[in-house]
Amino acid sequence: MFAAESHTGRHHIAIAAMACLCVLLGGPSCAAGAESLFIAGATYCEPGVSGPSWAWTDAGHLELDGYAGDATAADGDLVVTLAGQNSVTESNAPDADITQCGMEVWGSLTLRGTGSLAASGSQCGIHVSQALVVDGCTVDARADGADITDEAVAGVIAGDMAVRGGGRVVAAGAGSGVGVRAYGVYLQDAGLGDCPASCRLSVDASWLDATGDDGGVACADGSLVSARFVSPVSGTFGAGGVVDAAGVVAPHVVVEPDVATPPAGENDGPDVPGSGTGEPDGGAGPAAEQPGTEPTTVPAMKPAATSPKTNITTKTRVTKTTVPAPSKPKATSATAATLPKTGDSNWIAVSFTFFLLATVLLAAACRR
């Protein structure tokens, strides 16, 4: 009886353990991302919904493709993929809890894709409570300060901000109300508190153009990777934002990629963020006309074109000399591959012979 009870107890324990494992592996879990989304004048609490030019595919992902409408907000982390030209403006909906921003995210926000986003509002164009990442897309965020008093007004207000992947950001803030402080980019608590892990601006091989009467960029710290300050000249990160060589806060901050030879169509780096794709095309025109108008330019280009060809020829020759070498191992491996097959065939034949012999002996034994 004790053995039966012990077996039953072990059985119940095994079932309980398997149930816990099933819950851990396949049970419901809280997915990372936004808990709710406000867009096009309506609030949605579950993903898998869509409308004209937008789709909330899952909790953490929103797609915009040519969307133009009232403000958009999310309660939680969100990744927005942009395609085409998109715009969000301050909402006038009576039930909207975001009446002063174009886009507001209570969490972290990543903007990515091949498209663009224009966001505008009274207090800020884009407000992010944690980190804002602009990855490869174009963003234009502006705040006009209308009816704002005793507040910071900025094109972008965020915990910290990173621009990477060739992203282009234009941010501008303005305002004339009492106690208004206007910035292009305002990273919260910049210079006012101890926030070593936030309030930072990072620009990696990308463009940023920020303008505000009280400072182009207000931040606690920052870093430039493969990028440099175009304005102010000899700019640096000060205690409360970007300052010039004299330590004065710069009202206009421009950052562009730091490359020895800019890509075609990007020679006018400082002007590109504000003008979109029009400036690169315009910059490429004069460069294309110079070889035809100045004969001295043509000889200078010929040696540059000749040297890459010489290098390519050298690489090709090296490749050709290495081709016969791999052919030898191929022949060896082919021979080695055939050896086991012969051994396998012999072993199969011997096994079949033993099987027949055993069958005959078994049949003889049964007859006896």
Side-chain angles (χ1 to χ4, degrees), residues 86-100:
N86 304 273
S87 64
V88 287
T89 57
E90 182 176 322
S91 176
N92 295 318
D95 58 344
D97 194 24
I98 46 169
T99 58
Q100 296 177 317

Side-chain angles (χ1 to χ4, degrees), residues 4 62 113 116 124 127 132 171 181 190 208 224 245 262 278:
L62 173 66
S116 64
C124 57
H127 178 276
L132 169 63
R181 304 178 307 280
L208 171 65
L224 302 182

Side-chain angles (χ1 to χ4, degrees), residues 14-329:
I15 293 176
M18 292 181 66
C20 292
L21 182 61
C22 290
V23 171
L24 291 174
L25 295 179
S29 60
C30 295
E35 296 180 0
S36 62
L37 176 71
F38 177 83
I39 188 171
T43 301
Y44 301 89
C45 296
E46 294 290 340
V49 293
S50 62
S53 304
W54 67 271
W56 189 22
T57 56
D58 56 65
H61 189 203
L62 173 66
E63 297 179 355
L64 299 180
D65 188 354
Y67 175 82
D70 285 343
T72 300
D75 185 10
D77 297 343
L78 188 65
V79 175
V80 179
T81 300
L82 302 172
Q85 297 180 351
N86 304 273
S87 64
V88 287
T89 57
E90 182 176 322
S91 176
N92 295 318
D95 58 344
D97 194 24
I98 46 169
T99 58
Q100 296 177 317
C101 301
M103 178 173 285
E104 186 173 15
V105 172
W106 290 97
S108 294
L109 170 64
T110 297
L111 298 173
R112 67 183 187 186
T114 59
S116 64
L117 173 67
S120 60
S122 297
Q123 186 175 7
C124 57
I126 298 176
H127 178 276
V128 182
S129 65
Q130 296 182 20
L132 169 63
V133 176
V134 177
D135 191 354
C137 55
T138 300
V139 175
D140 188 310
R142 300 176 184 270
D144 57 18
D147 300 325
I148 302 296
T149 58
D150 298 321
E151 295 286 350
V153 172
V156 172
I157 297 179
D160 58 7
M161 178 178 175
V163 187
R164 66 193 187 196
R168 299 167 181 262
V169 176
V170 174
S176 57
V178 178
V180 168
R181 304 178 307 280
Y183 303 93
V185 173
Y186 179 77
L187 304 184
Q188 292 177 341
D189 298 329
L192 303 178
D194 184 14
C195 50
S198 61
C199 307
R200 289 177 53 86
L201 171 68
S202 173
V203 180
D204 186 349
S206 299
W207 285 263
L208 171 65
D209 189 323
T211 306
D213 292 339
D214 293 278
V217 175
C219 62
D221 196 3
S223 65
L224 302 182
V225 180
S226 299
R228 62 187 178 91
F229 285 113
V230 176
S231 177
V233 178
S234 302
T236 185
F237 291 100
V242 176
V243 297
D244 60 18
V248 179
V249 174
H252 187 201
V253 175
V254 177
V255 178
E256 70 174 12
D258 185 11
V259 291
T261 305
E266 295 179 358
N267 294 329
D268 298 331
D271 298 332
V272 170
S275 56
T277 58
E279 284 295 327
D281 295 338
E289 294 173 0
Q290 288 179 0
T293 56
E294 298 182 6
T296 56
T297 308
V298 177
M301 294 181 62
K302 288 184 178 179
T306 305
S307 55
K309 292 182 179 179
T310 304
N311 294 336
I312 295 173
T313 304
T314 303
K315 291 180 181 179
T316 305
R317 290 177 181 174
V318 173
T319 305
K320 288 182 179 179
T321 55
T322 56
V323 171
S327 62
K328 294 181 180 179

